[in-house]
Amino acid sequence: MHIPDNYLSPSTCAVMGAVMVPIWAVSVRKVKKEISKVKVPLLGVGASFSFLMMMFNVPVPGGTTAHAVGGTLIAVLLGPFAACISVTVALLIQALLFGDGGILSFGANCFNMAFVLPFLGYFIYKFIKDRVNSEKGEYLALIIGSYIGINFAAFCAAVEFGIQPLLFKNAAGQPLYSPYPLSVSIPAMTLPHLLVAGVVEAVFTVAIFSFIKKVSPGTIYEGAKKKTKAIYGLIVALICLTPIGLLAAGTAWGEWGADEISSVETGGNALGFVPAGMKNGFNFSALMSDYGIKGLPDAAGYILSAIAGVVILLIVFKIIGSLKKNKAGNISG
Amino acid sequence: MPEWLLKDENYIPQSDKDAFITKSIMTLLGVLSRIRAQSVYKEKKFKVSAALKVAFTFVLILLISISKSIAFTIIINVYLLAVLSMMNGEEIIKILKVSIVTSAFTFVILLPAAFWGNLFSSIFITSKVFATVTAVNMLSHSTRWNSITSALKRFYVPDIFILVMDITIKYIFMLGEFSLNMFYALKLRSVGKNKSKYTSLSGIAGTMFIKSNEMAEDMYSAMECRGFTGEYQVINKKYKMTFPDFVYIIMNIALILIFIYMERV
Amino acid sequence: MIDLTDVTYSYSGNIALKNINLHINKGEAVSLLGANGSGKSTFLKLINGIISPDSGIYKFNNEEITHSKLQDTKFAKLFHQKVGFVFQNSDTQLFCADVYDEIAFGPKQMGMSENEVDKRVNDCLTLLNIVDFKHRQPYHLSGGEKRKVAIACVLALNPEVLVLDEPMNGLDPRTQRWLVEFLIRLNKAGKTLISSTHDLELVQEISQRAVLFGEDHSIAADLPTDKLLTEIDLLKKVNLVDEYYHRITYKQS
């Protein structure tokens, strides 16, 4: 569910980042109040747990594997506000230091995985758990919470993808970022999550939770003793929906109708981009043809191609050189 | 001694689909070796300040993202490859592996769109993804991570947040090594068909969580013993611009000017 | 049973094992000695097939063990059943919610009937003197109890070779004593034992043969244990002991 850079427009990224700022601020304040200032650095340990959880490969029926995010689990274990910060730090380290996931899209990724997923998952869990006073009820709450949490997060990502082609096109009408409209992005993102990733997340969440509960119940976060009011859940759901609504307002939902879906169904000539694109000569053979590059003066194009050639050769030689040096590099060590 | 222990086991194993163990081991090994590589970084001759690198990498990624011109994207790619060619062979392989895999993945994702006539977008976005991923990985491979995190202070990231990040990296390593050994143990003891894989996997994750709690408690006590009160200061040396910094700034300003020129149309 | 010819292994450029030649017969008890970082742990990983040699040959029961052979799950599973490994840190070895499940983990996979599994687990519990912990959570046991559970869950697979990484580490003297006696019994019952250790006092009790790793990651000596312990200059040379060592040996003799 990590959105890399260049799938979303910088303005979408900026909006998502701006939405996250108050959420982070509130989370930091809440956490400081709950665990005292001195214990704040301990969140680093939670963040590393969250990071490693995403590294685990979970078996999926059929012999292949999938990744779990564990957002709801971390919220249930550490509390939703601490979970928000932990997942944020884990995502930042992934993006900045491991080069995995986007820098600009960091805000959007945090919105989906550090806000929507843990908060929604946690509040659904808490809401059900407080009403059904049994152990089975608790597990059921966890299953529903984590399942809905991850699916709603995937849905948010899908909406972020899906509004791109409607909002950002170049003069020729070609989409500049993710080219898929909502009618494609929503089923493409949500179906695999509804059918596979959501189930994996729910099963994994419950299994880990029950292990910890059996072995070390004292380590699990104790939320407020009093029942969460139903209205709370509603507010959270609304908060989740607001920014998406803002983004989508006037552009996405209105146009996401019959005509768009039908244009996808017509296959080849979908969305009417073909003629415009072709007329303007934006096809691959033209990009580098005759060692010249569109949009550059001929001479500059030649020079650029020459530099590219030399540099690529250099890289190839260096790779060959270092492969020779440590051949039989053992991967399992 | 029970009797069965005295004779050799006559056992023919069944096969089992437990690729998740090996895959998790590989992923964890990747993460650990990435962190371990940090400790052996040699001092480079041509050393640009980390804060500058972080700032201009961000600017570069922003420009790539905003750009509507494929020519600009190509210039940036050539520029990045040129800088990459100055790094050593092993680093080049590591960086290119990630860039190529990510952009190939992007291209496959965008392939249907290409068939619908959006060939331009598919190639455009793929080349942008290649540039962005290369830029970030070059930053992270060529700079000590603790100088990246402390460079964040210059952008007014709170000190306590930088401390949390540093602790996270350290504990990713420690807990990572711990869970790696658990996966090894699981692998060595998986001598047949495991009917409850989720139980084993959640045992590892759960133990890791309990362990992390224990480690956090220990760290808290240790910090308190050393007089930690919740205040933390990242100390950055006084900044003096060096010759490499100067060259780096000029190069990046040139890129920004090219950007302005190319996007003018 | 175990045959290594010119085995070399390195971690991303750093040599960890250099030209290792070693032959271990069935039923032997061998100790590995060496300073920290001399390659003992890497050697144990290699014996267990967690890593495979960069160059050289590792043969188990006359069959070469290679990386590609271990990719074949059936082959790997059979190999892992025959060679059992007790990790240095018992915490990493235990991932089940109670001791019974922990020990039953292996036998259950081997396709035994419910009764057989139950018998095996109970035998192991009795053998290691941990019947009382049957339904406790391994995570909360003491260090010594954890070590016993870890050994029990490996023994339940009935391996031919038992490999132990620093088995005496972190145990109180009484538990150490118990473990020494237990390992001697296992060896007498026909199990091949390979253990790494720093404990020069116990080493001659648990093994007849000692292999000394030098700081250059190769084998510095391979002698009967009593003999090796008298080669004080050699032990000093590999930085395993300092000049005060003779007092201990003196006291012992």
Side-chain angles (χ1 to χ4, degrees):
Chain A
M1 211 191 294
H2 292 58
I3 303 175
D5 275 331
N6 296 307
Y7 281 63
L8 303 182
S9 73
S11 48
T12 314
C13 294
V15 171
M16 302 306 282
V19 171
M20 280 313 287
V21 170
I23 298 170
W24 284 323
V26 171
S27 299
V28 168
R29 198 167 330 127
K30 278 272 183 191
V31 166
K32 272 191 181 168
K33 219 166 83 190
E34 270 175 17
I35 65 172
S36 94
K37 194 168 152 196
V38 194
K39 278 196 170 184
V40 167
L42 303 190
L43 288 176
V45 183
S48 59
F49 175 70
S50 151
F51 179 98
L52 288 166
M53 276 277 298
M54 296 188 225
M55 297 292 128
F56 279 24
N57 288 261
V58 185
V60 173
T64 52
T65 59
H67 284 275
V69 183
T72 309
L73 177 72
I74 291 166
V76 171
L77 293 175
L78 305 173
F81 296 101
C84 175
I85 297 172
S86 295
V87 178
T88 300
V89 174
L91 289 175
L92 182 62
I93 286 179
Q94 266 187 347
L96 190 62
L97 302 177
F98 285 85
D100 191 5
I103 301 279
L104 298 181
S105 55
F106 176 64
N109 282 326
C110 285
F111 181 82
N112 302 335
M113 285 183 280
F115 172 56
V116 173
L117 174 48
F119 276 90
L120 193 63
Y122 180 77
F123 279 100
I124 292 172
Y125 158 79
K126 189 95 174 93
F127 183 80
I128 299 176
K129 187 192 140 191
D130 287 347
R131 257 136 270 261
V132 191
N133 267 328
S134 71
E135 196 168 44
K136 268 195 188 139
E138 188 172 17
Y139 289 137
L140 187 72
L142 203 52
I143 290 175
I144 297 174
S146 54
Y147 184 77
I148 295 182
I150 194 165
N151 275 297
F152 196 75
F155 177 75
C156 290
V159 172
E160 289 150 26
F161 279 132
I163 57 176
Q164 300 304 315
L166 298 158
L167 295 175
F168 309 100
K169 289 175 190 162
N170 66 6
Q174 296 274 6
L176 287 164
Y177 303 99
S178 166
Y180 297 113
L182 289 166
S183 55
V184 177
S185 71
I186 291 181
M189 277 298 283
T190 51
L191 278 180
H193 280 90
L194 284 168
L195 297 175
V196 183
V199 181
V200 167
E201 179 92 359
V203 176
F204 197 43
T205 301
V206 171
I208 297 176
F209 182 79
S210 66
F211 179 89
I212 295 171
K213 198 161 176 172
K214 202 167 167 190
V215 174
S216 232
T219 52
I220 296 170
Y221 169 79
E222 288 284 330
K225 285 277 186 288
K226 58 180 187 286
K227 282 190 176 185
T228 45
K229 296 196 183 79
I231 191 97
Y232 259 148
L234 197 66
I235 291 171
V236 170
L238 280 177
I239 297 170
C240 291
L241 285 169
T242 324
I244 295 164
L246 277 177
L247 279 173
T251 51
W253 300 106
E255 286 174 38
W256 178 36
D259 57 348
E260 214 166 73
I261 294 168
S262 69
S263 66
V264 171
E265 280 166 358
T266 53
N269 266 0
L271 312 178
F273 288 150
V274 190
M278 289 301 186
K279 236 179 271 161
N280 285 305
F282 274 120
N283 54 38
F284 189 67
S285 59
L287 292 177
M288 276 272 198
S289 64
D290 298 324
Y291 298 101
I293 294 162
K294 265 224 159 273
L296 275 183
D298 270 0
Y302 275 117
I303 296 169
L304 190 63
S305 303
I307 299 176
V310 171
V311 162
I312 289 170
L313 277 179
L314 244 168
I315 291 179
V316 170
F317 289 145
K318 280 204 175 175
I319 290 180
I320 294 172
S322 72
L323 280 182
K324 262 190 192 153
K325 230 187 302 167
N326 55 3
K327 65 167 179 47
N330 198 315
I331 36 162
S332 60
Chain B
M1 286 280 153
E3 204 183 314
W4 54 266
L5 201 56
L6 297 175
K7 49 185 189 215
D8 282 349
E9 196 77 29
N10 192 5
Y11 169 60
I12 299 152
Q14 286 177 291
S15 71
D16 188 17
K17 288 178 177 159
D18 50 13
F20 77 99
I21 304 177
T22 323
K23 279 194 196 168
S24 299
I25 288 176
M26 296 313 282
T27 322
L28 285 170
L29 277 173
V31 170
L32 293 175
S33 74
R34 216 36 208 87
I35 301 178
R36 205 178 281 127
Q38 290 296 308
S39 60
V40 291
Y41 268 159
K42 296 153 253 142
E43 284 295 305
K44 300 256 162 58
K45 267 178 280 168
F46 194 82
K47 205 164 147 271
V48 179
S49 116
L52 278 180
K53 279 201 228 174
V54 173
F56 278 117
T57 306
F58 183 79
V59 170
L60 195 65
I61 290 169
L62 190 64
L63 294 185
I64 296 167
S65 184
I66 296 171
S67 170
K68 293 187 176 70
S69 141
I70 192 138
F72 178 73
T73 318
I74 291 173
I75 292 174
I76 292 294
N77 269 314
V78 172
Y79 159 76
L80 288 171
L81 288 178
V83 178
L84 183 68
S85 71
M86 287 182 254
M87 298 174 81
N88 76 45
E90 270 167 58
E91 280 173 340
I92 293 178
I93 296 176
K94 282 180 196 152
I95 295 169
L96 276 188
K97 224 192 213 159
V98 184
S99 315
I100 289 171
V101 168
T102 321
S103 33
F105 180 75
T106 303
F107 190 72
V108 171
I109 295 266
L110 297 177
L111 210 54
F115 282 118
W116 294 343
N118 279 337
L119 187 61
F120 164 73
S121 315
S122 308
I123 291 166
F124 190 38
I125 296 171
T126 307
S127 65
K128 279 181 165 191
V129 167
F130 184 87
T132 308
V133 175
T134 310
V136 177
N137 276 294
M138 273 165 58
L139 170 71
S140 102
H141 275 273
S142 69
T143 322
R144 268 177 184 280
W145 287 1
N146 56 6
S147 31
I148 296 183
T149 51
S150 49
L152 294 177
K153 184 183 164 72
R154 295 201 191 277
F155 310 115
Y156 302 101
V157 173
D159 288 352
I160 193 80
F161 188 79
I162 294 170
L163 176 65
V164 171
M165 270 186 86
D166 287 338
I167 290 175
T168 308
I169 297 169
K170 185 179 155 205
Y171 278 81
I172 287 174
F173 189 78
M174 287 167 62
L175 282 174
E177 214 155 48
F178 183 79
S179 49
L180 176 67
N181 277 318
M182 295 199 80
F183 275 109
Y184 280 144
L186 173 63
K187 190 179 177 182
L188 296 186
R189 282 166 65 200
S190 293
V191 295
K193 220 176 176 69
N194 186 350
K195 289 198 187 80
S196 48
K197 299 189 175 62
Y198 273 87
T199 314
S200 315
L201 192 61
S202 56
I204 294 180
T207 309
M208 188 170 84
F209 176 76
I210 299 168
K211 191 88 193 165
S212 75
N213 248 292
E214 218 174 84
M215 285 170 148
E217 286 297 321
D218 288 352
M219 182 172 65
Y220 171 64
S221 319
M223 283 164 79
E224 210 169 33
C225 289
R226 287 164 59 190
F228 181 75
T229 55
E231 300 301 328
Y232 178 74
Q233 273 226 303
V234 179
I235 297 154
N236 265 335
K237 269 181 269 165
K238 244 202 167 156
Y239 180 61
K240 240 179 89 190
M241 192 147 41
T242 59
F243 177 67
D245 287 347
F246 191 65
V247 175
Y248 187 76
I249 293 175
I250 301 255
M251 275 193 320
N252 279 284
I253 290 177
L255 287 175
I256 296 170
L257 291 177
I258 293 175
F259 173 80
I260 295 168
Y261 173 78
M262 306 287 304
E263 299 296 319
R264 164 186 54 97
V265 267
Chain C
M1 157 165 262
I2 286 174
D3 258 306
L4 289 105
T5 323
D6 265 331
V7 166
T8 300
Y9 182 81
S10 56
Y11 283 108
S12 50
N14 304 320
I15 286 266
L17 291 174
K18 201 174 105 191
N19 298 332
I20 304 291
N21 285 292
L22 194 63
H23 178 85
I24 296 173
N25 287 317
K26 197 172 166 64
E28 265 190 293
V30 181
S31 283
L32 309 177
L33 298 173
N36 290 329
S38 58
K40 295 182 308 265
S41 290
T42 311
F43 179 81
L44 297 183
K45 277 188 181 168
L46 189 116
I47 294 286
N48 282 282
I50 292 176
I51 54 175
S52 29
D54 289 346
S55 65
I57 296 168
Y58 168 31
K59 276 188 182 171
F60 180 77
N61 281 347
N62 288 323
E63 176 153 26
E64 193 180 343
I65 307 295
T66 61
H67 184 69
S68 58
K69 270 192 195 166
L70 289 170
Q71 298 300 100
D72 171 11
T73 51
K74 273 194 190 174
F75 180 85
K77 282 173 189 299
L78 187 60
F79 174 70
H80 293 320
Q81 184 270 317
K82 291 193 186 305
V83 185
F85 189 24
V86 179
F87 284 69
Q88 186 179 142
N89 180 353
S90 306
D91 267 338
T92 61
Q93 193 153 12
L94 309 172
F95 44 79
C96 296
D98 75 29
V99 170
Y100 186 94
D101 286 347
E102 198 71 68
I103 300 172
F105 182 84
K108 265 186 192 163
Q109 294 198 10
M110 290 163 73
M112 293 179 196
S113 71
E114 200 91 347
N115 286 337
E116 278 175 294
V117 171
D118 192 57
K119 180 179 182 313
R120 228 174 229 215
V121 175
N122 284 319
D123 283 347
C124 286
L125 288 167
T126 321
L127 199 59
L128 282 126
N129 214 356
I130 45 175
V131 181
D132 293 346
F133 308 134
K134 196 169 170 179
H135 295 298
R136 293 267 298 276
Q137 292 107 22
Y139 195 86
H140 295 299
L141 298 174
S142 75
E145 293 156 357
K146 277 184 197 171
R147 184 72 42 84
K148 287 182 177 182
V149 176
I151 294 173
C153 70
V154 174
L155 272 189
L157 299 170
N158 190 18
E160 293 173 23
V161 181
L162 190 64
V163 180
L164 304 106
D165 193 358
E166 309 275 356
M168 303 299 168
N169 240 13
L171 301 183
D172 60 40
R174 186 167 158 267
T175 317
Q176 279 190 353
R177 195 70 247 157
W178 178 90
L179 187 54
V180 167
E181 305 291 335
F182 183 72
L183 291 177
I184 295 170
R185 273 173 71 202
L186 273 182
N187 187 230
K188 285 209 175 112
K191 299 287 173 207
T192 311
L193 298 184
I194 302 174
S195 37
S196 70
T197 182
H198 288 299
D199 196 319
L200 299 178
E201 286 184 47
L202 298 174
V203 68
Q204 47 192 335
E205 298 191 51
I206 57 170
S207 59
Q208 305 94 41
R209 178 179 167 194
V211 175
L212 180 69
F213 279 77
E215 286 194 315
D216 62 344
H217 309 285
S218 62
I219 293 179
D222 180 357
L223 298 164
T225 311
D226 326 341
K227 178 120 198 323
L228 184 76
L229 290 179
T230 59
E231 303 269 343
I232 293 175
D233 288 337
L234 190 60
L235 295 179
K236 273 186 196 161
K237 201 180 125 217
V238 300
N239 275 331
L240 187 62
V241 300
D242 57 15
E243 60 267 35
Y244 299 106
Y245 174 65
H246 63 276
R247 291 194 201 158
I248 303 166
T249 40
Y250 177 74
K251 207 170 63 195
Q252 265 195 332
S253 58

